[in-house]
């Protein structure tokens, strides 16, 4: 590696690697190594002094991971990015980089349950307080912000799909000198680019749409060099939840088809949401495009939404009759999935009751995959008939 290179100039790293292999491969190599050796004492000491920048140890810098970070930063409009071993590692490392004991966070209600639980356990032990707000109520958010350190956003929210005017919330945070961060896993950068709306940091569970094939658990955060640098300086190396080279390679593959996958999830999701809404046995469909006009900055919808059955529907029979839709957590892959709300409400072992997330007992969360609208609708119709026959 050359003297004085941009510390995170992946192009120079990967070109050097490709030249060494001379394969002219169209896909970047998986640099599956834990460490990188030095040619001499002088080179090693220069790297330790920071006079040359080159990979030393994969927890700090790995070319394949860096390639994914740079691609995602470009997609979101960030200056820099950091890849993590999971979405939760991205969330915990980001949040912990901006708070100290005695601080306060403002978070949108109904955020991803494990983020909520992180706030209610570790952060609580660190004497960090969290004020929950309805992100649609900008007055309430403005009232909660003075004195806070961080505004934690997710839009639309995990189960009930409350969608917010992200740009307006980011502007409120700026006015009060509060760092804003958003979980953008649902929309992906194809449908929402929060950095361009004024949000400071954007994070993802890359296990969802970025990966898109249900074969990787990963996370990423992107934003300005300065703010990402704060996370890199402490939480990233010391908490150590680093993305692995192989997972980064899978994510690079995922990013290449993200735009066409998102359009397919959107079209099928919207059509199925509309058909469900027209059924007598369905009370409500929680899909941002059906509830209202989409808020400014949200330019499309993904395949994840929920609906509430009317009383009397046998949800167990519905779930067991489905063939194409599988019962399973997570989402964002090629496959269609359901999670019944009443099952989530059984999760008694977890700290903080699931009731906090706005989950209705008669609700079902759907992820609409890529199997095709008509085949999926036929599966749903058959299962709904089975559940309402009695
Ligand atoms: C909205 C959202 N954010 C974050 C996460 C956590 O990501 P991971 O499972 O990759 O840790 C999830 C996982 O389901 C999620 O749904």
């Amino acid at each position: 590696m050359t003297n004085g290179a941009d510390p995170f100039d992946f192009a120079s790293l990967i070109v050097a690697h490709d030249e060494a292999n001379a394969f002219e491969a169209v896909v970047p190599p998986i640099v599956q190594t834990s460490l990188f050796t030095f040619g001499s004492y002088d080179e090693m000491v220069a790297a330790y002094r920071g006079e040359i920048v080159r990979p030393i140890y994969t927890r700090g810098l790995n070319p394949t991971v860096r390639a994914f970070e740079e691609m995602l930063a470009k997609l979101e409009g960030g200056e820099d990015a950091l890849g993590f071993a999971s979405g939760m590692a991205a969330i915990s490392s980001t949040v912990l980089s901006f708070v100290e004991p005695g601080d306060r966070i403002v978070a949108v209600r109904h955020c991803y349950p494990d983020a909520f639980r992180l706030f209610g356990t570790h952060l609580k032990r660190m004497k960090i307080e969290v004020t929950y707000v309805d992100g649609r109520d900008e007055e309430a958010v403005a009232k909660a912000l003075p004195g806070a350190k961080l505004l934690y956003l997710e839009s639309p929210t995990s189960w009930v799909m409350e969608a917010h005017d992200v740009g307006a919330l980011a502007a409120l945070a700026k006015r009060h000198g509060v760092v804003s961060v958003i979980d953008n896993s649902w929309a992906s950068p194809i449908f929402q680019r929060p950095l361009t709306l004024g949000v400071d940091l954007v994070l993802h569970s890359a296990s969802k749409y970025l990966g898109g094939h249900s074969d990787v658990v990963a996370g990423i955060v992107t934003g300005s060099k300065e703010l990402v640098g704060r996370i890199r300086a402490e939480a990233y190396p010391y908490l150590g939840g680093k993305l692995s080279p192989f997972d980064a390679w899978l994510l690079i593959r995922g990013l290449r088809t993200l735009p066409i996958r998102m359009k397919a999830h959107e079209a099928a999701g919207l059509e199925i949401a509309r058909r469900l809404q027209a059924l007598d046995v369905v009370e409500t469909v929680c899909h941002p495009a059906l509830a209202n006009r989409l808020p400014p900055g949200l330019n499309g919808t993904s395949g994840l939404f929920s609906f509430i059955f009317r009383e009397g529907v046998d949800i167990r029979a519905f779930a067991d009759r489905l063939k194409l839709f599988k019962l399973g957590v997570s989402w964002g892959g090629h496959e269609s999935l359901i999670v019944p709300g009443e099952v989530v409400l059984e999760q008694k072992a977890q700290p903080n009751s699931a009731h906090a997330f706005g989950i209705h007992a008669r609700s079902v969360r759907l992820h609409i995959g890529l199997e095709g609208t008509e085949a999926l609708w036929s599966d749903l119709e058959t299962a709904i008939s089975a559940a309402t026959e009695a």
Side-chain angles (χ1 to χ4, degrees):
M1 306 307 142
T2 51
N3 236 343
D6 177 338
F8 301 101
D9 177 2
F10 171 73
S12 66
L13 297 174
I14 207 72
V15 165
H17 192 98
D18 278 352
E19 279 169 359
N21 283 293
F23 290 138
E24 297 186 10
V26 70
V27 175
I30 311 171
V31 186
Q32 189 71 32
T33 183
S34 61
L35 66 99
F36 301 81
T37 57
F38 298 90
S40 67
Y41 176 97
D42 282 349
E43 194 187 354
M44 190 172 196
V45 83
Y48 267 74
R49 285 184 185 145
E51 291 164 6
I52 56 168
V53 177
R54 44 151 292 165
I56 297 174
Y57 186 54
T58 279
R59 176 151 53 79
L61 176 61
N62 174 285
T64 315
V65 174
R66 190 61 202 156
F68 168 62
E69 291 170 343
E70 297 213 329
M71 284 173 81
L72 192 276
K74 206 175 265 175
L75 273 174
E76 286 285 12
E79 290 174 351
D80 197 357
L82 291 172
F84 290 87
S86 69
M88 277 312 299
I91 292 171
S92 57
S93 295
T94 300
V95 169
L96 290 169
S97 297
F98 293 92
V99 287
E100 289 177 14
D103 283 345
R104 192 167 59 83
I105 292 177
V106 177
V108 290
R109 65 178 193 168
H110 308 329
C111 60
Y112 174 61
D114 282 344
F116 177 87
R117 293 181 185 118
L118 168 76
F119 301 157
T121 54
H122 284 266
L123 264 57
K124 192 170 173 199
R125 261 178 251 141
M126 290 171 66
K127 308 268 181 278
I128 293 157
E129 207 189 299
V130 184
T131 309
Y132 289 97
V133 286
D134 178 345
R136 297 167 305 181
D137 183 350
E138 284 159 33
E139 246 174 68
V141 178
K143 232 162 114 186
L145 280 172
K149 275 284 164 66
L150 200 68
L151 174 62
Y152 186 88
L153 304 172
E154 186 182 320
S155 179
T157 52
S158 274
W159 193 283
V160 288
M161 305 293 148
E162 286 175 358
H164 312 131
D165 183 338
V166 168
L169 298 182
L172 286 173
K174 262 208 175 78
R175 198 172 311 151
H176 292 282
V178 176
V179 172
S180 55
V181 52
I182 188 167
D183 181 334
N184 199 32
S185 310
W186 186 90
S188 90
I190 304 305
F191 292 142
Q192 182 166 259
R193 296 177 79 222
L195 297 176
T196 68
L197 303 172
V199 177
D200 293 315
L201 287 163
V202 172
L203 55 83
H204 286 270
S205 166
S207 328
K208 311 298 189 259
Y209 288 122
L210 302 187
H213 295 72
S214 303
D215 51 13
V216 58
V217 172
I220 189 150
V221 63
T222 180
S224 69
K225 268 201 159 97
E226 187 203 336
L227 294 183
V228 173
R230 266 176 78 167
I231 305 166
R232 177 184 283 112
E234 282 192 24
Y236 195 55
Y238 304 156
L239 297 181
K242 173 84 178 188
L243 179 60
S244 80
F246 181 61
D247 286 346
W249 183 84
L250 288 171
L251 291 167
I252 290 167
R253 180 197 59 176
L255 286 187
R256 297 194 201 286
T257 57
L258 184 64
I260 52 170
R261 283 190 287 108
M262 291 311 291
K263 283 181 189 121
H265 288 298
E266 175 180 47
L270 205 48
E271 182 59 27
I272 287 173
R274 287 195 179 118
R275 291 185 192 182
L276 282 170
Q277 199 178 34
L279 297 182
D280 286 343
V281 292
V282 170
E283 192 172 289
T284 322
V285 178
C286 304
H287 184 296
L290 298 189
N292 253 313
R293 252 183 342 114
L294 293 181
L298 182 59
N299 302 313
T301 56
S302 69
L304 185 76
F305 63 95
S306 65
F307 68 94
I308 304 175
F309 273 124
R310 285 198 196 284
E311 266 178 73
V313 176
D314 183 345
I315 295 178
R316 180 192 294 260
F318 167 74
D320 284 342
R321 190 58 179 264
L322 287 166
K323 285 208 158 56
L324 269 181
F325 283 88
K326 304 293 179 204
L327 278 155
V329 296
S330 197
W331 45 276
H334 48 83
E335 75 286 17
S336 293
L337 297 165
I338 70 153
V339 181
E342 59 189 16
V343 172
V344 179
L345 295 171
E346 292 288 324
Q347 204 176 14
K348 296 204 175 64
Q350 299 280 2
N352 308 306
S353 146
H355 293 276
F357 314 122
I359 299 174
H360 192 289
R362 291 198 311 276
S363 68
V364 174
R365 192 184 75 178
L366 292 181
H367 178 253
I368 305 300
L370 304 174
E371 298 91 337
T373 308
E374 296 311 325
L376 290 170
W377 181 247
S378 159
D379 198 30
L380 283 171
E381 271 189 324
T382 309
I384 289 171
S385 299
T388 49
E389 258 159 20

